[in-house]
Amino acid sequence: MDSHISIKDLNVYYGDNHALKSVNLDIPRNQITAIIGPSGCGKSTLLKTLNRFHDLVDDTRVEGEVRFDDIDIYAPDVDVTEVRTKIGLIAQRPYLLPMSIFDNVAFGLRIHHITNRREVKGQVEKYLQLAGLWDEVKDRLHEPATSLSIGQQQRLCLARGLAVEPEVLLGDEPTSALDPISAKNIEVSLQQLKSQYTIVIVTHVLRQARRLADHVVFMYLGELVEAGPASKVLKSPKDPRTKAYLSGEM
């Protein structure tokens, strides 16, 4: 397996709470990895270690290694801003910038100092296309982003995230706030994007994991119980805890 991210002996503490316990995991390149498990089992905690989101939370301690393209992102000399540019996070609910649809995407381009008007226009169209939103907004690009539906707003956030040119996309239950049609649109976009990006999502919906995932990680009580190809973990799990979860017994 071609690993894009390798995690070694990862432990996370919230104060005295040992939230992640000695996690070792390889995340494959250009696949969709779904992290599943009961509520409070460490799914989102694991996801947020991948772009150092925990740096923003007081009284949190992270131990171990998270290697991205063989660079330990927790090494003291690592530029955290660059890490978060290369490893982007899509939140549960869309966070829009107080500007137009066009400028929300152009904001990401300006981080890379792209200012030529024609180039910006072409790139905005490119990323809206990638997010599956262009056909719906191409005639209203200069309207406020808040005029979009919640599902369109989530795809706009995806387009803005793509515009900073990440290599990895993280999604923390990215469809949980959406209606079924909007959720399907996000899923279609993710399936189309995996040929260009490594994608890691947290989901509490097993049907979604079955539809989307190439690779599955099952977490329970802060421990990584089982990980591997989705076809094996979801259909023939080895650990009895995984079997119990998949059958609805926990």
Side-chain angles (χ1 to χ4, degrees):
M1 180 178 70
D2 180 12
S3 298
H4 205 163
I5 298 175
S6 293
I7 299 168
K8 297 181 180 179
D9 297 322
L10 180 67
N11 290 272
V12 177
Y13 301 84
Y14 297 128
D16 295 329
N17 176 28
H18 195 176
L20 284 186
K21 304 169 185 176
S22 301
V23 172
N24 291 278
L25 174 66
D26 288 321
I27 295 174
R29 188 184 303 270
N30 295 120
Q31 293 188 26
I32 298 177
T33 295
I35 305 173
I36 63 172
S39 296
C41 68
K43 300 188 298 295
S44 292
T45 297
L46 175 59
L47 187 81
K48 291 173 182 177
T49 62
L50 303 183
N51 75 341
R52 292 189 55 164
F53 188 86
H54 295 299
D55 289 13
L56 307 174
V57 181
D58 291 336
D59 205 23
T60 299
R61 188 169 84 256
V62 178
E63 299 174 351
E65 290 185 1
V66 177
R67 303 193 75 85
F68 166 66
D69 284 341
D70 210 34
I71 296 170
D72 181 7
I73 68 170
Y74 283 91
D77 59 342
V78 164
D79 184 336
V80 179
T81 301
E82 185 174 349
V83 167
R84 294 187 184 136
T85 300
K86 293 295 186 183
I87 306 175
L89 177 66
I90 308 166
Q92 289 184 14
R93 294 182 178 275
Y95 174 74
L96 299 174
L97 300 173
M99 50 185 69
S100 69
I101 295 166
F102 182 94
D103 286 333
N104 261 267
V105 183
F107 180 86
L109 298 170
R110 292 181 185 120
I111 290 174
H112 289 286
H113 308 292
I114 298 174
T115 56
N116 178 276
R117 184 174 298 181
R118 180 176 292 180
E119 185 177 2
V120 169
K121 185 177 179 180
Q123 291 292 299
V124 167
E125 178 177 346
K126 170 187 171 181
Y127 291 115
L128 287 171
Q129 290 271 19
L130 282 174
L133 189 58
W134 173 252
D135 289 341
E136 297 168 43
V137 302
K138 61 184 178 182
D139 296 323
R140 47 189 297 208
L141 292 173
H142 298 291
E143 292 182 13
T146 51
S147 68
L148 298 175
S149 71
I150 190 74
Q152 290 172 324
Q153 290 179 20
Q154 188 71 315
R155 281 182 284 153
L156 179 61
C157 289
L158 174 58
R160 189 180 68 218
L162 295 174
V164 301
E165 298 183 352
E167 295 181 29
V168 177
L169 292 173
L170 310 177
D172 190 4
E173 299 189 26
T175 65
S176 64
L178 306 181
D179 62 87
I181 293 175
S182 296
K184 182 179 179 180
N185 286 333
I186 288 287
E187 289 185 6
V188 169
S189 294
L190 293 177
Q191 286 174 319
Q192 292 173 341
L193 289 168
K194 72 178 182 181
S195 64
Q196 301 173 61
Y197 304 89
T198 296
I199 299 172
V200 187
I201 64 167
V202 164
T203 182
H204 64 278
V205 181
L206 281 174
R207 293 188 305 278
Q208 184 173 69
R210 291 189 173 101
R211 286 193 299 268
L212 285 181
D214 303 296
H215 200 78
V216 168
V217 177
F218 175 61
M219 301 291 298
Y220 185 64
L221 298 178
E223 297 181 5
L224 192 160
V225 173
E226 193 164 349
S231 57
K232 292 184 178 179
V233 175
L234 296 177
K235 294 179 181 178
S236 305
K238 296 178 180 178
D239 193 285
R241 291 168 292 180
T242 314
K243 292 179 182 178
Y245 178 73
L246 293 174
S247 63
E249 297 174 16
M250 68 162 62

